[in-house]
Amino acid sequence: AGKFTMTSYQDCVQRVLGMLEPLARDRGAVAEASDLVGDLGLSSIDVMEVIESVEDEFDVSFPLNSLPTIRTVGDLAREIARLTAA
């Protein structure tokens, strides 16, 4: 049961990791628990660009009020999974 268009959390994690890998200051160290700013060294502008890329990639739109809660790769993947399930 359920929609086939939704993207599983694990699939989201894998795709987001692939998108972040080229941007991270320490390639190969990008993981589900990586903090986008603290661990990956992304600036707030980088984070907004990543979110924009993710929105295009997954054809979703993040509600502005959800943005402050997105700190890690896992947070981003969870939000994508939630939005694609809606």
Side-chain angles (χ1 to χ4, degrees):
K3 296 180 187 171
F4 292 104
T5 55
M6 74 180 272
T7 310
S8 78
Y9 171 74
Q10 253 348 97
D11 185 43
C12 292
V13 168
Q14 292 310 311
R15 286 168 66 185
V16 169
L17 290 176
M19 293 170 78
L20 288 172
E21 193 85 359
L23 302 172
R25 102 183 119 206
D26 183 7
R27 289 168 196 244
V30 184
E32 191 175 332
S34 297
D35 185 283
L36 299 172
V37 175
D39 296 332
L40 304 183
L42 301 182
S43 70
S44 52
I45 292 173
D46 292 335
V47 172
M48 291 313 294
E49 287 176 356
V50 164
I51 287 176
E52 200 174 288
S53 298
V54 165
E55 287 179 330
D56 291 345
E57 170 82 15
F58 290 91
D59 195 29
V60 294
S61 187
F62 289 93
L64 286 176
N65 64 349
S66 74
L67 297 180
T69 65
I70 298 172
R71 307 228 10 108
T72 67
V73 172
D75 294 340
L76 192 53
R78 248 184 306 285
E79 188 65 15
I80 296 163
R82 188 182 71 75
L83 291 169
T84 59

